[in-house]
Structure formats: structure tokens, C-alpha cells
Amino acid sequence: MIEGFGQERVAAGEVTLSVHRAGAGAPLVLLHGYPQNHMTWARVAPALAERFDVIVPDLRGYGASDAPEDDAAHTVYSKRTMAADIVALMDALALPRAHVIGHDRGARVAYRLALDHPGRVDRLGICEVVPTGDFWRAWDADLALAAYHWTFLAQPAPLPERMIGADPAAYIDWTLAAWAAAGDLSPFAPAALESYRAQMAEPARRAAMCADYRAGATTDRRLDEESRARGERIAAPVHFLHAETGFPARTGDPAGVWRPWAGRLTVSTCPTGHFVMEEDPQAFLDAFLPFLSGAG
């Protein structure tokens, strides 16, 4: 649990999502990434709840949300489908609009939500990603080695699921440590780390996470290319935060990658690894609180 937050399961279209919520004010939806769940927000959500009505769902397949089986076309975990889950959640909570911040895979859900449902997003925060199609375009040998999980997890089932299942705790610990600036598990609170390990130990959740990346390599990439060809742009103001040496930084010009997608873009950086909210919660709050309050 996130300190001070209540938890409930909410029917959101074709799935039921586990949702944590606290605070009052303008609604703010926080969307986590891989290989995490709602606990990635535990160090920043209470501070955000002092100013906003903060809604923290587990994405489908993650945490305590439903984990449906993938389909052959990899649409079940496409970011279009996952964004529709969040729209259905907002409908269930009677929220016509909300601010949205996403990290990692959650940021991919967030920008697809803003593209597909522009009337539902007031302000959009993106943390530590560039758009999926652009990231694939940027691949070279160095990026492929750093982001090896993009191709590993997207391999046909059940290869990655079985390999991870041989020692899920070691896999999750290695992944978290490798992507943190400290190179170890020190940034992660014990309760959060326990929840990430428990999640990776569940076969259905391992399958869902792999399905997430299979969608990224196929359906999500295609949707991005189609949006690019149509000249679609995000209508909401966008703030993009990335680590100085994280995955987006490896593309060379991550802010430049986002500019064609967002007419109103502001950018900031921080000296952390990939897990900004857990490695430096204050840097995250310093980046997004002014933005959510109307600056930029």
C-alpha cells in the first residue's frame, strides 16, 4: 500500500483494475512502468495528494489488476488498449478530464491516451521514454545492448517467460539494479522491492509483461508510425523529464524526438538512473509540480 492511500478494485471496461487513491483537488492519474506497479509512486504520491486527487492504478497485467491472456496480434496489451482501460477507469470514477503522468511503459500508455482521447487529458507528464516508434528507429548496437529487454521480452511465448521463471527474484533484482544510477537496490524501499519480486514470481504476470513488450515491437510500433504519417500531435501541454544518462538520452536528442509530437513541450533532466521517482523523489516533484500547477 502507498501510505495514506485507500485501495479498491474498479471495473474498467473489459478488465478490473486495482486502484490506489488519496487527496483532493484536480484529478491526477499516475501510470507506472515495467517491471514495477503502483509502488513505484510511493515516495511521491503522498506529496502530490496534498494538492491533487491522486489516482494510481496498476496497469492491466501488473500488480493486482486483471491479467488477460494475449492474442496472436498482440493487441491485448497494446498501449491503445491499455489507454482505453484508463479512460474506462476515469468514466467509472466520474472524471471527465485529468492530468496524467506516466513513467516507462506507463508513459507509453499516457501519450497514446492523449493522442486517442485528447479531450480527457489536461496536462501530460512523460518520464523516461521517447515514443515507441522513434525508439525503435534510434536503435544501434549500443542501444540494443542497453535495451536488450525490448527484444528479449518480445520473443515468442513461452521462451522469455520460462527463462525468467527459472529465477524470477534474481532477474528482477538484476534489472532494477542495472537501471539505477547506484548500480544496486539501495533506491528501492523494502515494501516496493517485495511487491516487484512477488509480481515477477507470478506466471500470469510474467506472461503479461512479455505481452506488453510483444505489443511494443508490433502493434504499438505500427500505431506510432500511423500517427506520425497522419501528423497527429498531442493537444495537451507536455512536460518531459528524463535522466541525463537514461534510455531516452541514448537516442542523442530526446527533446528533439518529442517536439514533432507535442506543440507545447517543456523539458527537464535529472542526474538519476531510470527510476527517477524512487532514486530522487524531490527531483521528480520539482519537475512536475510547477507544470501541473500551470507553469509551462
Side-chain angles (χ1 to χ4, degrees):
M1 295 288 289
I2 300 174
E3 183 177 357
F5 277 63
Q7 187 268 343
E8 63 177 327
R9 285 176 56 80
V10 180
E14 61 188 32
V15 294
T16 297
L17 301 180
S18 175
V19 181
H20 291 72
R21 188 177 190 181
L28 168 62
V29 178
L30 303 178
L31 302 178
H32 68 83
Y34 167 90
Q36 298 165 295
N37 52 47
H38 64 278
M39 288 298 291
T40 196
W41 302 106
R43 286 179 168 160
V44 297
L48 293 168
E50 293 175 5
R51 307 189 190 188
F52 300 96
D53 174 10
V54 180
I55 299 104
V56 189
D58 286 325
L59 297 173
R60 65 163 59 196
Y62 291 80
S65 291
D66 287 356
E69 292 186 8
D70 198 14
D71 64 338
H74 305 307
T75 64
V76 172
Y77 288 88
S78 76
K79 305 311 156 292
R80 171 162 287 167
T81 300
M82 296 168 90
D85 292 345
I86 305 307
V87 171
L89 172 62
M90 292 172 62
D91 288 343
L93 299 178
L95 302 176
R97 301 175 62 89
H99 302 310
V100 181
I101 301 178
H103 172 256
D104 189 83
R105 309 307 285 181
R108 303 186 188 286
V109 176
Y111 79 73
R112 180 47 60 185
L113 170 60
L115 287 168
D116 287 358
H117 308 274
R120 307 304 295 267
V121 178
D122 282 325
R123 287 178 170 260
L124 176 65
I126 297 292
C127 188
E128 265 291 282
V129 304
V130 294
T132 301
D134 292 287
F135 195 66
W136 280 112
R137 285 167 173 256
W139 270 48
D140 58 16
D142 290 337
L143 190 53
L145 287 169
Y148 79 95
H149 60 293
W150 275 51
T151 52
F152 169 59
L153 296 173
Q155 293 303 306
L159 178 65
E161 291 94 329
R162 291 185 65 182
M163 293 178 71
I164 296 168
D167 195 346
Y171 177 82
I172 186 68
D173 286 3
W174 189 93
T175 299
L176 293 169
W179 297 353
D184 57 32
L185 297 174
S186 60
F188 305 100
L193 188 57
E194 181 182 351
S195 76
Y196 304 153
R197 288 170 175 162
Q199 175 175 263
M200 193 62 73
E202 293 185 39
R205 308 231 173 262
R206 289 199 300 274
M209 287 185 265
C210 291
D212 184 353
Y213 278 85
R214 291 177 185 124
T218 56
T219 304
D220 296 338
R221 182 160 55 97
R222 173 180 57 79
L223 291 174
D224 274 14
E225 295 300 340
E226 291 172 354
S227 291
R228 176 196 290 274
R230 290 192 293 265
E232 294 179 7
R233 304 191 86 191
I234 297 167
V238 178
H239 186 76
F240 170 45
L241 171 65
H242 69 91
E244 293 171 358
T245 58
F247 290 116
R250 294 171 187 262
T251 64
D253 181 16
V257 172
W258 272 110
R259 285 193 183 97
W261 292 95
R264 292 178 285 173
L265 176 70
T266 51
V267 181
S268 58
T269 63
C270 58
T272 69
H274 183 59
F275 305 107
V276 179
M277 303 87 68
E278 288 164 290
E279 295 182 63
D280 192 341
Q282 193 59 53
F284 179 91
L285 294 170
D286 289 346
F288 285 110
L289 276 176
F291 170 70
L292 293 173
S293 299

